[in-house]
Amino acid sequence: MSIIAFVDSYQKKIKKSAFEVVSYAKNIADQSGKGLKVVAFNVDDVSELEKYGATDIIKVNDAQLDAFSAKTYAEALLSVTEGSIYVLSHSNMGSSIGAFLSIKKQATLITNVLSIPSSMSPFTVKRKSFSGKGIMEVTAATDQIVVTVMPNSFGAQEAAGTGSISEASATTSGNTITVNSIAETSGKVSLKEADIVVSGGRGLKGPENWGMVEELADLLGAATACSKPVADIGWRPHSEHVGQTGIALAPNLYIAIGISGAIQHLAGVNASKKILVINNDPEAPFFKAADYGVCGDAFEVVPALIEKIKAAKA
Ligand SMILES: Cc1cc2nc3c(=O)[nH]c(=O)nc-3n(C[C@H](O)[C@H](O)[C@H](O)COP(=O)(O)OP(=O)(O)OC[C@H]3O[C@@H](n4cnc5c(N)ncnc54)[C@H](O)[C@@H]3O)c2cc1C
């Protein structure tokens, strides 16, 4: 049976994390000698998936998949293809479909996966655990497996080859979810998809000081984020709150400005590839988790950094 990769999408467009999922699934397919099938729901153009090794793409266009329901998506996925290993992104969409899939297939569910399998038989892989404080190596107890891959952990890797695109119709027990309205978040770059995240904490003193955070993020093509109290006080929207009770991230670079580095905050960001901390307290716990640290006043350091980046870009 094939390896199945599920394509995360938003408003009919493929999300960046889907290219990583296809790359990951291609790696498993190559290791196991099995075929790879890539399934996309209600996506306008799936051809870009071919660049990442998707040779067999199944496109499903169906109005009952317009509103996201994990149960309906899992049923639809199983109705168009059968696989032994299902690979999804550890996004809200992927992880909720993964849970339904694992129940329906009686499969081992391995979430927050960080690396390619060290063994295909038995399937053994590393995953993030204990809110990112630990890495656990787990072995699947069944041949049927569902994995959700932590965004930015494996990377999207281009692979040679051309694909074939077919269309299929899904069968489900019916979607009972109706979307009445969609509220767009204000950020220009999607936080979960971002390569670089510029984040601010209570050290920034007030919402009126976020201009420099946004300017730095714009210059770097980054998304903006914040600590929990900042969202709780209403300085920033809750969609930007990262940490144990907020969004978990794994960008290539996380810039933390005026954030103490409490364990609950670190739980959401410690999978970042590199962390730059700007804080005026040399004892701030965040420095222990940082790859680069600037001990100084954010109101001096950030504008100076902005000027340096502008000069470098000029
Ligand atoms: C159950 C639970 C869940 C939680 N979940 C989360 C979560 O998901 N995410 C989260 O973020 N928190 C979470 N928290 C809260 C967490 O414990 C911390 O209280 C919070 O992260 C602190 O936010 P902060 O660092 O912005 O503020 P503070 O703790 O007030 O730290 C501000 C920092 O800014 C620095 N600073 C001050 N002025 C300047 C300046 N001019 N220049 C540079 N630096 C300056 C200070 O030295 C300090 O380090 C949770 C707490 C609990 C109990």
Side-chain angles (χ1 to χ4, degrees), residues 202 205 227-228 241-245 258 260 264-265 279 297-298:
R202 216 155 33 180
K205 319 289 184 214
S227 64
K228 182 176 184 293
H241 150 205
V242 297
Q244 183 186 318
T245 47
S260 60
Q264 298 88 356
H265 186 85
N279 197 303
D297 186 341

Side-chain angles (χ1 to χ4, degrees), residues 16-128:
K16 198 184 96 191
S17 58
F19 301 122
E20 181 171 34
V21 160
V22 171
S23 303
Y24 188 93
K26 160 101 175 102
N27 185 293
I28 293 180
D30 288 348
Q31 277 197 58
S32 62
K34 292 182 177 171
L36 168 65
K37 289 182 193 292
V38 176
V39 183
F41 291 167
N42 289 356
V43 169
D44 281 337
D45 179 12
V46 292
S47 59
E48 215 187 331
L49 293 164
E50 294 176 34
K51 268 204 275 177
Y52 301 90
T55 44
D56 187 351
I57 303 167
I58 302 168
K59 204 176 157 177
V60 180
N61 280 333
D62 193 323
Q64 66 178 324
L65 300 172
D66 282 347
F68 176 68
S69 147
K71 177 171 169 279
T72 309
Y73 269 49
E75 287 174 352
L77 186 56
L78 292 177
S79 75
V80 295
T81 186
E82 269 291 298
S84 54
I85 303 179
Y86 290 79
V87 184
L88 304 98
S89 173
H90 193 78
S91 57
N92 292 342
M93 182 182 262
S95 47
S96 43
I97 300 169
F100 272 95
L101 275 181
S102 67
I103 291 166
K104 287 182 181 293
K105 298 282 296 179
Q106 293 291 292
T108 302
L109 172 64
I110 310 178
T111 59
N112 266 318
V113 166
L114 291 170
S115 65
I116 55 165
S118 56
S119 154
M120 284 302 296
S121 182
F123 188 89
T124 305
V125 77
K126 288 197 170 70
R127 68 178 294 274
K128 187 176 140 174

Side-chain angles (χ1 to χ4, degrees), residues 268-280:
V269 303
N270 59 7
S272 307
K273 302 276 185 311
K274 296 282 177 209
I275 296 177
L276 163 63
V277 169
I278 301 168
N279 197 303
N280 64 359

